[in-house]
Amino acid sequence: MNVSRVLVAGGRWRFFPVPLRSSLFQALHNSCRKKSTAPKKIIPNVAVCDRNTKESGSALDKLFSSEQQASILHVLNTATNKELEAFKLLRGRKSINIVEHRKKYGPFQNLESLMNVPLFQYKTAIQVCNSILCPETGVKKRKSQENRLLKKLIKPDIERERLRAVNSIVSIVFGTRRIAWAHLDRKLAVLDWQQSEYFQLMKGTYVSSVYLEEISSFISKIPKADFYVLEKTGLSIQNSTLFPVLLHLHIMEAMLYTLLNTTFTQGGQHQVLSMNRSAVGKHFELMIGDTRTSGKDLVKQLLLDSVLKEEPRVFFPPDRIVHYRQMFSSTEHHRIEELYDSLLQAVAFYELVVFAPEP
C-alpha cells in the first residue's frame, strides 16, 4: 500500500508514493520536520464548533490545502485498521468505525464525509487530520509516557532536569504519634536518619498553635537538601471512622509544605514533593492487595548488607551502624513504621525518579 508524500520543491508542492507499512510515519514526519514545509496546526474556533454538521464539514475542508486533503484522504481510504491505530487519536473504536464506514459507503471523497463516521465530531476530526499530517514522534511518545509515570509517583510536577540533578533529599514520613526523616545523597548514603515523637497533636481539638509549635521544632532539625519528599497516604475520606486521623495527616502535610518551602526555597523554585505510598510499597514488594505490609525486615536487611557487601544497595556510615542496630533493638516491641518508611521512601525516590531509565 502506498501513500502520497507531500514536499515543497521550488515553492511548489510535489507528490510521490511511499510504502505505508514501512515508512508512513517517516514520510509524514519528513513533510513536517522543516519549518517551511510543516502544515500549520489547526486550532478549531469554538464558534465554528457550534455549527451544524454540514456547515462544520464544509469548514473542515477549507482548513486544509488541497494537497493536505489528498494526503489525509489517502490514509483514510487505504490504511488497514492496524495501520490506523498507529495514529494516537485513531486507536480503539475510531479506527474500526473508519474501516466499517469505508466498506459500507465506499472511499471518503472529502474531509467533510469524515463527519458521518460515528465518534467523529468537528473538533475530533480536526485533531485526527492534524495527527495524520504530523504523527507523534517516538521521542514525544517516550516523553509523554515518562511524564505520566512521574505523575503517578510524585506531585506537583517538577522538571525532569531538576530531578536528574538531585544531590540529596530528605524523605519525611509522619503518623499519629511520630515523625521520621531520612537524609540520603545520590550515592544512597545515609547522611542522617532519625525520628521525633509527639503526643499532643491528636489529643482534644486540633489546636493550630500546637501544630505550628511542634512542626516548627521539627523543621529546625531538618538539614538542607535539594528536595523534601513527603509520604502521600491513600486513606479514603469515605471511611468516617478514620476521619480524625485523615484530618490530622492533612494538617501535618499542609503545614510541612508551607513551612519547608518557606524555610528552604531557593530562587522561588518548589522544593517539597509528595510521593505515593502505594508506589513505594509496590517497588519493594510490600503490597498485599491494597494493603502495605511492614518494611522493618527489609530495612534490617539493608543495614546488614551495608556491613557484609562491598556494593550494598544503601550505604550506612560505619560509625552509626551500631547506633542504628541499638535503635532497632530498643524498639523491637513497638511499631516505628515511620522510621522504616522514611528510609524506604528515600531509596524508592532515587531508584524510581532520579535514576529511572528512559521508557
Side-chain angles (χ1 to χ4, degrees), residues 43-66:
I43 302 175
N45 187 292
V46 176
V48 177
C49 294
D50 293 335
R51 297 175 185 174
N52 59 39
T53 303
K54 184 175 181 180
E55 291 176 333
S56 297
S58 178
L60 181 63
D61 284 321
K62 295 177 181 178
L63 293 176
F64 299 93
S65 68
S66 58

Side-chain angles (χ1 to χ4, degrees), residues 5-57:
R5 178 175 178 180
V6 184
L7 292 173
V8 173
R12 301 186 64 183
W13 291 92
R14 293 289 184 268
F15 286 78
F16 61 93
V18 295
L20 177 63
R21 291 182 184 274
S22 61
S23 57
L24 171 60
F25 282 104
Q26 183 178 356
L28 291 173
H29 278 312
N30 288 342
S31 69
C32 299
R33 289 178 66 181
K34 294 183 179 180
K35 187 174 182 180
S36 60
T37 61
K40 184 178 180 181
K41 187 173 182 179
I42 308 299
I43 302 175
N45 187 292
V46 176
V48 177
C49 294
D50 293 335
R51 297 175 185 174
N52 59 39
T53 303
K54 184 175 181 180
E55 291 176 333
S56 297

Side-chain angles (χ1 to χ4, degrees), residues 103-215:
K103 290 179 179 179
K104 188 173 182 179
Y105 299 103
F108 294 95
Q109 299 301 316
N110 48 47
L111 299 186
E112 179 181 350
S113 56
L114 186 61
M115 303 284 292
N116 298 322
V117 179
L119 301 181
F120 284 85
Q121 298 180 348
Y122 179 67
K123 183 177 179 180
T124 306
I126 291 178
Q127 293 172 337
V128 166
C129 292
N130 278 323
S131 70
I132 290 176
L133 288 173
C134 288
E136 188 179 38
T137 65
V139 173
K140 287 184 178 179
K141 286 182 179 179
R142 289 194 297 271
K143 193 74 174 179
S144 178
Q145 181 184 4
E146 184 179 17
N147 290 337
R148 286 195 298 270
L149 291 173
L150 273 180
K151 287 180 180 180
K152 292 180 180 180
L153 288 172
I154 59 172
K155 293 184 183 300
D157 296 339
I158 298 293
E159 299 84 355
R160 168 56 83 179
E161 291 72 21
R162 285 188 63 197
L163 295 172
R164 297 283 192 196
V166 164
N167 288 313
S168 75
I169 66 165
V170 173
S171 169
I172 302 171
V173 176
F174 47 90
T176 57
R177 299 182 60 183
R178 62 181 62 88
I179 185 168
W181 73 95
H183 185 200
L184 272 68
D185 64 17
R186 68 181 296 113
K187 295 180 180 179
L188 294 187
V190 178
L191 306 178
D192 192 10
W193 184 34
Q194 55 181 291
Q195 66 174 1
S196 296
E197 296 193 355
Y198 48 81
F199 300 98
Q200 302 299 319
L201 299 185
M202 289 288 290
K203 291 184 178 180
T205 58
Y206 299 87
V207 182
S208 300
S209 59
V210 177
Y211 274 91
L212 180 60
E213 182 180 351
E214 291 282 357
I215 296 176

Side-chain angles (χ1 to χ4, degrees), residues 286 292-298 335 337 340-341 344:
L286 296 175
R292 179 169 156 178
T293 58
S294 174
K296 180 177 181 178
D297 291 338
L298 178 57
R335 293 178 62 87
E337 297 298 329
Y340 316 139
D341 292 349
L344 294 178

Side-chain angles (χ1 to χ4, degrees), residues 45-100:
N45 187 292
V46 176
V48 177
C49 294
D50 293 335
R51 297 175 185 174
N52 59 39
T53 303
K54 184 175 181 180
E55 291 176 333
S56 297
S58 178
L60 181 63
D61 284 321
K62 295 177 181 178
L63 293 176
F64 299 93
S65 68
S66 58
E67 290 84 3
Q68 290 172 338
Q69 291 182 44
S71 294
I72 295 168
L73 289 172
H74 189 87
V75 173
L76 294 175
N77 287 328
T78 59
T80 64
N81 179 46
K82 186 176 181 179
E83 290 167 342
L84 288 171
E85 284 188 338
F87 298 96
K88 181 179 179 181
L89 295 175
L90 290 178
R91 294 171 188 166
R93 190 65 204 175
K94 287 189 178 71
S95 62
I96 297 174
N97 288 347
I98 287 176
V99 174
E100 290 179 348

